Amino acid sequence: MSTEQQGKDGPRGRYLASLSLAALGVVYGDIGTSVLYAMRESFHHTHELLPTRANVLGVLSLVFWALVLVISIKYGIFVLRADNRGEGGILALTSLVTPIGALKRNPRWVLIMLGLFGTALLYGDGMITPVISVLGAVEGLKVATPLLEPYIVPITIAILVGLFAVQSRGTATIGRVFGPVTLVWFVTIAVLGIVNIARDPHVFAAVNPLYGARFFIDNGWRGFLVLGSVFLVVTGGEALYADMGHFGRRPIRMAWYCVVLPALLLNYFGQGALLIHHPEAAENPFFHMMPRWALYPVVVIATMAAVIASQALITGAFSLTMQAVQLGYIPRVQIEHTSARERGQIYIPQVNWAMMIACVVLVLGFRTTTNVAAAYGVAVTTTMVITTLLLFTVERERWRWPLWASLGFSGFFLVVDLAFWGANIVKIPAGGWVPLVIGAAVFTLMSTWKTGRRILADRLGAQTLPIELFLDDVAARPPHRVPGTAVFMYGNPTGTPPALLHSLKHYKVLHQHTIFLSVMTEEVPHAEPGERLQVTELGHGFYRIVLHYGFMEEPDVPEALAAVAVEGLDLSPGRTSYFLGRETLIPSKERGMAPWRERLFALMSRNARPATAFFGLPANRVVELGAQIRL
């Protein structure tokens, strides 16, 4: 997004409209398909809640204020302000309040762990969202004719497998229709809502919060549990923040306030009007809103919207994984770029196939959206609670709010989040344990990798020779020099790379030009062009180069080194060799991690993507020197 296009206050005119249209497909597909099942689950027989006029108006009041408070105010106005140089998402928020450079021994480790756990939960949410969205759309066939009911699960699996199978080809072409198709979906649900509201316009009385309060008074504990189903109307709301870097605040807000929010409210109120006059429609109120001739076309549109919502979650999982790799929370993985023009369009095979298998297993295990809904919400509510806690720190330290304002604002929304969380936590025995188990497993992997890398760095650091001492030794006893340039990569820019010491020990020679290269990940999404490269001449043919990347960038070392302009330093590909250290990790009884975590870390390290490919190094110009390290 160029400066000229944005202007002083963000994008304007046609460019703003095109960005807002694109945001409809990517950002709002998930929350837009919630109309398929949210009202139905609120009046599901497990709640023993009859769709009387008082109960319908009470649920509609809760739906209205959930969308207004959680999405329109909390996320739309405030959370979107907490950007990390334009990027959003819980990892970006965590790095904003706990800089990466301080992660080794940060007194805010509680905030770091909260952010990390919230990130892990998003993987569990990302596996359930495609299932409930596509399954909810295909279940409309059952309303059209009961004869198709046995085919709902196979059709859902076929759609999901097909969706994951085409990921390697990229989404550049199909992505162009995401916005228009989703716009058609929102227009459709708005029209369906208006038609049904016309039968009973008095449903708009539910805007009065007293109807929600009366609902709790009349229904007690049962009414509180219904909050777990009402929460389904805001699932997907976290995408407003996570996708901010792709579109910016203004297009996301414009799409929400001008299209998404009105369409959702009209449809929910339309479903309410239908239920007041036809309580028997509670089995699937959305698909009972329309005449029978419209069922099949709406099922097709709903399925397309569900696929788009699923695609957005899959793409988000790829982006989140790349961020986690760059921040050092998971091992290096294979990242393929599916577009020569857009670096943000990536494909990660391991994540793709793992999510596909998980989605198929979930469809076969749950079989209906009612069963999936029992598992849905626990992960999202927990993530929203964590976001509120992290936002409190941003309010105090970044926005300089007074303590009373931060406590009042965050405290209010924390009460709202915890109410939804409490209503969802009772779902754990019925399936809510699924995203928690997935999140706990991912959290264990991420925390083990981060801790293991820190311990490994400490072990290597204890054995590392300072560069100054090495240079003094070379000046006192100069070894034989050979033509060419050698690049020795090491994470510590002040230490001598172990690979260099091993090379000198075995070969007894040094290259004419020797470079100590460190690649650093900063706590910002993208490093400024002027901050990318730091070159220091150390004398006697030695140079120290530090490359800086943001956590949304993929490093390309040869490309970065091509920008080095130092007289006499030849970095041409044919004369430059890269030397890397490869550590063989051996679990030990030394102080560190538990033995099982050391074995897990060693396994993850062995299966990590080679540094040669990750840093974009030419394979035929790389030399790896091994060493055994006891954890």
Side-chain angles (χ1 to χ4, degrees):
M1 198 185 303
S2 67
T3 305
E4 293 77 16
Q5 288 168 313
Q6 292 183 63
K8 292 183 179 180
D9 301 313
R12 295 177 177 275
R14 290 185 177 180
Y15 186 58
L16 173 61
S18 65
L19 277 178
S20 300
L21 180 62
L24 278 179
V26 176
V27 179
Y28 296 111
D30 185 6
I31 198 171
T33 54
S34 297
V35 295
L36 294 170
Y37 46 80
M39 285 294 285
R40 182 187 67 196
E41 297 308 316
S42 297
F43 289 97
H44 193 262
H45 63 83
T46 54
H47 294 311
E48 299 180 354
L49 186 70
L50 295 176
T52 62
R53 185 178 190 88
N55 285 340
V56 170
L57 292 178
V59 169
L60 284 178
S61 184
L62 297 177
V63 168
F64 175 82
W65 287 105
L67 288 169
V68 169
L69 292 175
V70 177
I71 308 300
S72 300
I73 297 178
K74 176 186 169 184
Y75 276 90
I77 297 177
F78 292 98
V79 175
L80 285 181
R81 290 183 57 201
D83 68 294
N84 191 333
R85 291 198 183 184
E87 290 291 338
I90 194 162
L91 263 184
L93 182 61
T94 303
S95 63
L96 190 67
V97 301
T98 55
I100 302 303
L103 280 180
K104 287 186 178 181
R105 290 178 180 84
N106 197 322
R108 296 185 176 183
W109 64 270
V110 175
L111 293 178
I112 300 172
M113 291 297 103
L114 281 175
L116 198 58
F117 186 57
T119 302
L121 287 174
L122 290 179
Y123 284 97
D125 176 41
M127 294 173 186
I128 294 178
T129 297
V131 174
I132 196 171
S133 298
V134 176
L135 197 54
V138 177
E139 281 181 346
L141 296 173
K142 182 171 61 175
V143 178
T145 170
L147 296 175
L148 293 175
E149 185 171 358
Y151 302 99
I152 290 176
V153 169
I155 291 174
T156 300
I157 291 176
I159 292 173
L160 290 172
V161 170
L163 177 62
F164 284 102
V166 300
Q167 292 302 308
S168 60
R169 301 180 184 178
T171 58
T173 303
I174 193 174
R176 295 172 190 158
V177 302
F178 280 8
V181 169
T182 311
L183 179 60
V184 171
W185 169 248
F186 282 116
V187 170
T188 300
I189 65 175
V191 170
L192 290 174
I194 292 171
V195 170
N196 284 271
I197 290 172
R199 301 174 183 174
D200 191 347
H202 293 96
V203 291
F204 283 122
V207 170
N208 187 339
L210 293 178
Y211 281 95
R214 171 62 66 180
F215 176 79
F216 288 129
I217 294 172
D218 292 343
N219 293 281
W221 175 249
R222 182 174 53 191
F224 176 74
L225 294 181
V226 171
L227 269 183
S229 297
V230 171
F231 180 76
L232 294 172
V233 306
V234 298
T235 53
E238 67 279 3
L240 276 74
Y241 185 46
D243 292 318
M244 181 169 58
H246 296 291
F247 305 102
R249 292 191 197 94
R250 195 169 184 182
I252 288 176
R253 286 171 173 163
M254 181 176 179
W256 172 254
Y257 293 114
C258 296
V259 178
V260 182
L261 179 62
L264 290 177
L265 289 177
L266 286 171
N267 192 267
Y268 284 125
F269 278 86
Q271 291 187 47
L274 173 69
L275 290 175
I276 289 174
H277 295 280
H278 298 281
E280 71 279 3
E283 62 169 343
N284 202 325
F286 177 80
F287 285 106
H288 281 288
M289 297 177 76
M290 61 205 72
R292 295 192 66 82
W293 63 263
L295 274 172
Y296 289 108
V298 172
V299 167
V300 171
I301 298 173
T303 303
M304 294 174 67
V307 168
I308 291 172
S310 302
Q311 178 62 62
L313 263 293
I314 296 168
T315 303
F318 293 161
S319 177
L320 188 65
T321 301
M322 188 175 80
Q323 291 182 44
V325 169
Q326 299 294 55
L327 291 172
Y329 288 118
I330 62 175
R332 297 183 296 266
V333 296
Q334 180 181 351
I335 300 176
E336 300 177 6
H337 290 270
T338 58
S339 172
R341 299 177 59 186
E342 299 291 338
R343 288 188 62 85
Q345 293 187 11
I346 59 175
Y347 168 67
I348 303 178
Q350 298 96 317
V351 174
N352 185 69
W353 301 122
M355 290 185 67
M356 187 196 77
I357 293 171
C359 285
V360 172
V361 170
L362 289 172
V363 172
L364 292 173
F366 288 109
R367 306 192 73 82
T368 68
T369 50
T370 296
N371 294 333
V372 180
Y376 203 33
V378 178
V380 184
T381 50
T382 306
T383 302
M384 286 188 173
V385 169
I386 292 171
T387 299
T388 301
L389 293 173
L390 294 176
L391 189 64
F392 174 81
T393 304
V394 174
E395 293 161 7
R396 293 285 295 147
E397 299 185 358
R398 298 280 176 163
W399 301 343
R400 303 297 180 185
W401 284 14
L403 181 61
W404 65 267
S406 297
L407 286 175
F409 177 83
S410 296
F412 172 77
F413 282 103
L414 188 61
V415 169
V416 174
D417 292 337
L418 288 175
F420 282 124
W421 182 80
N424 276 279
I425 211 71
V426 299
K427 297 179 180 180
I428 289 179
W433 58 270
V434 173
L436 293 180
V437 168
I438 295 173
V442 175
F443 175 77
T444 300
L445 293 174
M446 296 174 78
S447 59
T448 296
W449 181 256
K450 187 68 176 179
T451 304
R453 292 300 299 176
R454 177 179 59 79
I455 293 173
L456 179 61
D458 291 343
R459 298 277 193 268
L460 290 172
Q463 306 170 17
T464 297
L465 180 68
I467 287 181
E468 291 75 14
L469 295 180
F470 173 77
L471 295 177
D472 291 342
D473 188 59
V474 169
R477 294 176 295 176
H480 181 66
R481 308 295 282 256
V482 296
T485 301
V487 178
F488 290 87
M489 298 187 66
Y490 189 40
N492 182 358
T494 62
T496 305
L500 173 57
L501 298 178
H502 290 144
S503 174
L504 187 58
K505 177 180 178 181
H506 290 289
Y507 303 131
K508 315 296 184 184
V509 296
L510 285 174
H511 285 73
Q512 181 181 2
H513 300 292
T514 300
I515 295 174
F516 306 121
L517 177 65
S518 296
V519 178
M520 313 298 291
T521 299
E522 304 299 334
E523 68 271 16
V524 295
H526 304 276
E528 297 292 338
E531 301 172 355
R532 173 81 68 207
L533 193 65
Q534 291 180 332
V535 182
T536 305
E537 187 171 356
L538 303 175
H540 304 289
F542 291 95
Y543 301 86
R544 176 167 54 209
I545 297 179
V546 181
L547 299 179
H548 298 271
Y549 288 91
F551 56 76
M552 290 291 291
E553 298 177 299
E554 190 174 3
D556 188 328
V557 168
E559 179 183 339
L561 292 183
V564 175
V566 176
E567 185 177 355
L569 180 58
D570 185 3
L571 285 168
S572 57
R575 292 180 57 83
T576 303
S577 299
Y578 298 87
F579 291 79
L580 309 178
R582 176 178 281 270
E583 300 89 10
T584 300
L585 307 177
I586 303 174
S588 69
K589 295 183 180 179
E590 295 185 38
R591 185 178 180 182
M593 295 187 294
W596 68 269
R597 293 187 75 190
E598 290 183 349
R599 290 191 291 270
L600 175 61
F601 177 71
L603 177 65
M604 296 170 70
S605 183
R606 287 195 298 270
N607 288 278
R609 186 187 184 192
T612 302
F614 182 77
F615 291 111
L617 305 178
N620 60 344
R621 303 294 302 178
V622 174
V623 177
E624 291 189 344
L625 299 168
Q628 290 188 341
I629 305 294
R630 290 186 174 274
L631 290 174

